[in-house]
Amino acid sequence: MNVETPREGAPDLSTLTRVFLRIGLLSFGGPAAQIALMHRELVELRAWLTERQFLSALSFCMLLPGPEAMQLAAFSGWRLRGLSGGLIAGLLFIAPGAVVIAVLASLYVSFGQVPLVQAAFLGIKATVVIVVLQALIKVMGRALTSPWAYGLAGAAFLALFAFDLPFPLVIFVAAIIGALAMTSEPAEPVDAPEVNLANTLRTAFIWGAIWLVPLGLIWALDPSGLLAQLGAFFAKLAVVTFGGAYAVLAYMVQQVVGEFGWLTTPQMIDALGLAETTPGPLILVTEFVAFLAGAQEGGIALGVAAALLSLWVTFVPCFLWIFMAAPYVDWIGAQPRLTGALSGITAAVVGVILNLSLWFALNTAFAEVARNGWGLWLPDPGSLNPLALGLMGVAAALLLWRKLDLLLVLAVMGGLGALTSFIPL
């Protein structure tokens, strides 16, 4: 399909804009809920895409680094209205959440140290622990389907929790093992589509330049400054975000807290908690992290600049992957080695999220957590916060047992957390 030629029966741009703005405003609840919302809007209600087209697009987006729901939106817009449609759909999917995150980050910088606010965040942190546990349960159901998958999940957990190995290395090794040992032939052979390699290379060059030239200019002006460091880090993060935001959070924490010291562990957990309350992809947490890092070093102005830079280097590559590789979607879905690599990555993500769950739980329940001589994360028993344990129990009951809506639970837990500020320990 020509990048500017709409598919037969496709909506006009104004209709497409209205529908994807609605999707962007309602895209709460993580990728599963966001994908279900798009399926309802694009397949069930309007029949803009067939079931097969939607599922093929979803499988393709799961092969790419970056937030699969946002890339599914961009791909759907591209399939319907070419380049213009892809840009509109992708940008509208992230814009509402980005605006909300900016407001929340500003309020957090201004009021986050108030004792009552800190107590409210204790309730949100407790909820985040259970939310990550929910994500672990869901991913386990679809990822652990073979002995190889169980082995990769266990190995990924040990690599991160016990040996502190780099997240990109864990994902790379899992992809190699998956490609070699977890392949399966497609049910039906699919012929490679007719695509223009020159167009592919031109697209890669243009979007690569859009992505990296501003970052290069920042480096040229101030190579050792915070903006250059943030830009380089989040650009690298955009390339290794396989497996969803929960998977890459382990790597982000490892670097943001441990390596660079931009944020503290409690601030990082607060960032995730606030990102859970907004529409759009959870990877928007990068905007919050960048805003806090910038504001703490140079005030609100630097925080805003850092947030805008993080959005640029995080999401521009999503359009690069989509516009460059979308014409090959049918061919990619029929390659056993590529699907095997995806299976390996998905299995390893179970171990990654398990590591993240345990890390969040320990740092929420205990004031002091550190690696021992063997490299294991262990808490100081004397720093246990019984209120945090109690709040985690309440959050688990509301989410896992009562299955209440996440936004309602976050509001309730924030209120309960605030009440704990009046309880003497």
Side-chain angles (χ1 to χ4, degrees):
M1 184 186 79
N2 183 288
V3 295
E4 290 297 348
T5 302
R7 184 179 65 82
E8 183 179 353
D12 57 56
L13 286 178
S14 63
T15 303
L16 184 140
T17 299
R18 186 172 64 254
V19 170
F20 276 98
L21 177 59
R22 170 182 168 80
I23 290 172
L25 290 169
L26 298 178
S27 58
F28 294 92
Q34 294 158 359
I35 290 167
L37 173 63
M38 277 188 278
H39 183 274
R40 182 173 184 274
E41 293 285 345
L42 304 180
V43 179
E44 297 175 19
L45 295 182
R46 294 172 176 81
W48 288 350
L49 298 175
T50 66
E51 187 74 29
R52 180 181 175 279
Q53 288 172 332
F54 186 87
L55 293 177
S56 295
L58 177 58
S59 298
F60 161 66
C61 292
M62 290 182 68
L63 281 168
L64 301 173
E68 66 266 30
M70 179 268 178
Q71 292 177 148
L72 178 61
F75 179 89
S76 300
W78 174 87
R79 188 139 200 171
L80 292 168
R81 295 289 311 194
L83 178 63
S84 299
L87 285 170
I88 290 171
L91 290 173
L92 289 178
F93 188 81
I94 62 175
V99 172
V100 174
I101 285 285
V103 173
L104 292 176
S106 300
L107 294 174
Y108 184 87
V109 168
S110 301
F111 303 108
Q113 302 306 311
V114 177
L116 183 65
V117 175
Q118 289 180 312
F121 273 112
L122 181 62
I124 293 174
K125 291 173 187 176
T127 309
V128 167
V129 173
I130 308 305
V131 168
V132 177
L133 179 61
Q134 270 190 317
L136 174 64
I137 295 170
K138 291 176 182 178
V139 173
M140 284 179 63
R142 73 168 186 263
L144 302 186
T145 58
S146 70
W148 276 107
Y150 278 97
L152 279 174
F157 171 73
L158 289 175
L160 293 169
F161 185 81
F163 299 105
D164 198 25
L165 294 181
F167 172 79
L169 176 63
V170 174
I171 293 299
F172 176 76
V173 172
I176 295 297
I177 294 174
L180 295 175
M182 301 174 70
T183 60
S184 60
E185 294 294 331
E188 299 178 4
V190 177
D191 294 331
E194 294 184 6
V195 291
N196 188 314
L197 183 58
N199 285 340
T200 301
L201 294 175
R202 183 167 59 250
T203 299
F205 176 80
I206 292 172
W207 281 94
I210 292 173
W211 178 27
L212 296 176
V213 166
L215 185 57
L217 293 174
I218 291 172
W219 268 91
L221 292 172
D222 187 10
S224 61
L226 178 65
L227 289 180
Q229 295 177 34
L230 286 169
F233 171 69
F234 286 121
K236 180 170 67 173
L237 199 70
V239 179
V240 299
T241 50
F242 293 96
Y246 287 116
V248 80
L249 277 172
Y251 175 56
M252 190 189 302
V253 169
Q254 187 183 55
Q255 299 294 303
V256 168
V257 176
E259 180 69 20
F260 298 109
W262 291 330
L263 271 66
T264 64
T265 295
Q267 286 176 326
M268 191 68 215
I269 301 176
D270 290 345
L272 179 59
L274 288 177
E276 289 280 8
T277 69
T278 64
L282 185 58
I283 200 63
L284 280 169
V285 69
T286 59
E287 177 191 3
F288 189 94
V289 169
F291 187 99
L292 257 63
Q296 289 173 165
E297 177 162 318
I300 295 296
L302 184 59
V304 171
L308 291 173
L309 177 63
S310 73
L311 290 173
W312 186 269
V313 298
T314 298
F315 291 105
V316 168
C318 295
F319 293 109
L320 166 61
W321 316 138
I322 290 295
F323 296 147
M324 182 177 68
Y328 299 87
V329 61
D330 293 329
W331 178 84
I332 290 172
Q335 303 308 303
R337 295 295 183 192
L338 288 175
T339 55
L342 176 62
S343 297
I345 291 171
T346 304
V349 162
V350 174
V352 173
I353 298 177
L354 176 58
N355 171 70
L356 184 68
S357 300
L358 190 55
W359 184 87
F360 273 147
L362 290 175
N363 280 279
T364 300
F366 296 87
E368 297 180 17
V369 180
R371 289 192 182 274
N372 67 0
W374 297 90
L376 296 174
W377 285 108
L378 291 178
D380 176 4
S383 67
L384 174 65
N385 184 343
L387 289 176
L389 277 181
L391 288 170
M392 280 192 276
V394 174
L398 296 177
L399 284 172
L400 302 180
W401 176 47
R402 300 299 298 174
K403 300 186 185 303
L404 298 182
D405 180 76
L406 175 59
L407 292 179
L408 174 60
V409 174
L410 284 166
V412 170
M413 295 305 299
L416 289 177
L419 289 177
T420 65
S421 66
F422 302 103
I423 301 176
L425 289 177

